[in-house]
């Protein structure tokens, strides 16, 4: 029902910044908790950050805490991931995900909708 599309990925130098956007369509944005995941080559897909429907609660993986910020604009059906102080280990495909479960959802299997992903490459 819900369709998600990421944008804003690309190539950046170490220490640089990038902002990813995820736009939802095809269904009501009301009540959707959102999350960002990433998957590097040969690795599993891991949670990066998550945000509740209201935006009042957030979660960050330890490896991005203090560097990344998740936010949302429900009027625009959009969730963002601001990424600062990027390093080569942040290189991965980044995925936007949505669920109608309440609260801040951190487990991959609890998300019902996924975007196709956006590639982020950080050079040395």
């Amino acid at each position: 029902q819900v369709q998600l599309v990421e944008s804003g990925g690309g190539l950046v130098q170490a220490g640089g910044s990038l902002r990813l956007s995820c736009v939802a369509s095809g269904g009501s944005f009301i009540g959707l908790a959102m999350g960002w995941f990433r998957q590097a080559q040969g690795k599993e897909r891991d949670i990066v950050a998550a945000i509740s429907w209201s935006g009042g609660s957030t979660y960050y993986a330890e490896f991005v805490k203090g560097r990344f910020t998740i936010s949302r604009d429900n009027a625009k059906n959009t969730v963002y991931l601001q990424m600062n102080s990027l390093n080569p280990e942040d290189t991965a495909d980044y995925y936007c995900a949505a669920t109608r479960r309440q609260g801040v959802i951190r487990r991959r299997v609890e998300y019902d909708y996924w975007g196709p992903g956006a590639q982020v490459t950080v050079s040395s």
Side-chain angles (χ1 to χ4, degrees), residues 85-119:
S85 301
L86 288 163
N87 59 68
E89 294 185 345
D90 294 316
T91 295
D93 289 330
Y94 284 72
Y95 298 88
C96 175
T99 177
R100 294 198 184 280
R101 293 174 170 83
Q102 298 181 48
V104 179
I105 310 303
R106 302 184 290 183
R107 298 179 67 235
R108 183 179 65 252
V109 296
E110 293 189 285
Y111 282 90
D112 304 304
Y113 310 103
W114 294 86
Q119 187 174 42

Side-chain angles (χ1 to χ4, degrees), residues 34-109:
M34 307 292 293
W36 285 98
F37 291 75
R38 74 185 189 186
Q39 185 169 22
Q41 185 66 240
K43 305 291 185 178
E44 293 189 336
R45 189 173 299 186
D46 297 323
I47 182 73
V48 174
I51 189 167
S52 63
W53 148 247
S54 67
S57 298
T58 58
Y59 166 82
Y60 296 96
E62 286 297 324
F63 54 83
V64 303
K65 191 172 296 183
R67 299 190 297 126
F68 291 9
T69 302
I70 188 171
S71 62
R72 66 190 298 160
D73 185 341
N74 288 346
K76 292 180 168 59
N77 293 353
T78 302
V79 63
Y80 306 95
L81 183 67
Q82 178 66 47
M83 304 183 293
N84 299 325
S85 301
L86 288 163
N87 59 68
E89 294 185 345
D90 294 316
T91 295
D93 289 330
Y94 284 72
Y95 298 88
C96 175
T99 177
R100 294 198 184 280
R101 293 174 170 83
Q102 298 181 48
V104 179
I105 310 303
R106 302 184 290 183
R107 298 179 67 235
R108 183 179 65 252
V109 296

